[in-house]
């Protein structure tokens, strides 16, 4: 047996979802058949023809939308991944390059500290630094968000090497400093990083 990178199992709701899909499909076919009969045999006036045609078209569109989304529910699975095994099957220099985009728009609904935490945790991934690129798209063009990321860039000089050297799993600065587990740093280094983190 080779090195496992992921495993999956079907969710218990699979059988129910498939039975529901069959029943729903028959209901849709019956409804469309009813619309056809109404259109052909019972629509005599112009308004009734237009109404029956509109109902038929709208139900066909809704049926198409349901059919394209229900395929994801016919075989739902629970997947478990083992990223620690990746280096057993592939050298780090052969890892694919990754581009990650973070989108934000409103600094009041999406506080910059949360966006910065996301960006820093992504940049601290246990992944070759030259193969990972993190982009932030601020659709709101907020000066507050820009300032937060300028300060975060200074903090990243301390934070990213520390995460990689100490193998920190939860790489959000907020989560780390709210815990009592401060890794291998001494008190002076911890205070230095805390001061840097307060800048943004």
């Amino acid at each position: 047996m080779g090195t496992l990178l992921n495993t999956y199992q079907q969710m218990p709701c699979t059988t129910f979802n498939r039975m529901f899909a069959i029943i729903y499909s028959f209901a849709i076919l019956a409804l469309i058949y009813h619309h056809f009969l109404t259109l052909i045999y019972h629509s005599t006036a112009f308004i009734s023809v237009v109404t029956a045609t509109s109902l038929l078209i709208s139900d066909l569109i809704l049926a198409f939308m349901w059919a394209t989304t229900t395929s994801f529910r016919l075989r739902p699975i629970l997947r478990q991944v083992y990223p620690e095994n990746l280096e057993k099957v592939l050298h780090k220099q052969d890892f694919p390059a990754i581009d990650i985009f973070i989108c934000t728009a409103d600094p009041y609904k999406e506080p910059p500290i949360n966006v910065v935490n996301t960006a820093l945790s992504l940049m601290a991934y246990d992944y070759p630094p030259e193969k990972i690129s993190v982009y932030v798209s601020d659709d709101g063009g907020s000066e507050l968000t820009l300032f937060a990321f300028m300060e975060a860039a200074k903090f990243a000089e301390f934070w990213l090497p520390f995460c990689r050297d100490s193998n920190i799993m939860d790489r959000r600065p907020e989560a780390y400093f709210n815990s009592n587990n401060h890794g291998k740093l001494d008190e002076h280094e911890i205070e230095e990083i805390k001061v840097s983190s307060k800048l943004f």
Side-chain angles (χ1 to χ4, degrees):
M1 184 175 178
T3 304
L4 285 177
L5 295 179
N6 68 85
T7 58
Y8 65 88
Q9 61 180 4
Q10 286 192 14
M11 295 177 66
C13 62
T14 302
T15 304
F16 173 79
N17 287 359
R18 291 177 180 177
M19 290 175 59
F20 177 79
I22 292 171
I23 296 170
Y24 200 83
S25 298
F26 278 113
I28 289 174
L29 291 174
L31 181 62
I32 292 173
Y33 178 71
H34 170 72
H35 285 320
F36 268 117
L37 291 180
T38 303
L39 186 61
I40 295 172
Y41 296 110
H42 303 289
S43 299
T44 53
F46 175 75
I47 295 179
S48 61
V49 171
V50 171
T51 303
T53 305
S54 301
L55 288 172
L56 175 61
I57 292 172
S58 62
D59 281 337
L60 284 172
I61 292 172
L62 290 174
F64 174 76
M65 292 171 61
W66 174 80
T68 54
T69 56
T70 199
S71 58
F72 299 105
R73 303 185 185 100
L74 295 180
R75 194 169 182 265
I77 60 173
L78 289 172
R79 188 181 300 276
Q80 186 154 359
V81 296
Y82 306 98
E84 64 275 8
N85 292 341
L86 187 57
E87 288 188 61
K88 297 178 182 177
V89 297
L90 195 66
H91 296 293
K92 275 199 171 183
Q93 61 266 25
D94 297 324
F95 283 11
I98 297 177
D99 292 328
I100 303 173
F101 290 85
I102 303 171
C103 297
T104 184
D106 188 336
Y108 298 101
K109 293 181 180 177
E110 301 170 294
I113 186 65
N114 293 342
V115 184
V116 164
N117 267 299
T118 301
L120 288 174
S121 64
L122 292 171
M123 292 168 65
Y125 272 172
D126 184 16
Y127 206 82
E130 68 279 3
K131 289 183 175 285
I132 185 168
S133 301
V134 179
Y135 302 91
V136 178
S137 173
D138 180 18
D139 295 337
S142 167
E143 293 183 3
L144 181 61
T145 303
L146 177 62
F147 174 76
F149 272 93
M150 289 172 61
E151 296 300 324
K154 300 174 188 176
F155 173 69
E157 295 178 11
F158 298 94
W159 181 245
L160 300 182
F162 169 64
C163 286
R164 294 191 181 102
D165 295 343
S166 303
N167 196 26
I168 303 298
M169 296 309 293
D170 191 345
R171 300 177 177 90
R172 294 173 299 127
E174 181 182 26
Y176 179 78
F177 289 117
N178 284 340
S179 71
N180 294 321
N181 179 20
H182 294 308
K184 302 174 183 176
L185 293 181
D186 59 36
E187 289 300 320
H188 174 71
E189 291 171 314
I190 291 170
E191 288 304 316
E192 192 174 81
I193 292 183
K194 280 186 177 180
V195 169
S196 298
S197 71
K198 288 175 182 175
L199 291 176
F200 62 92

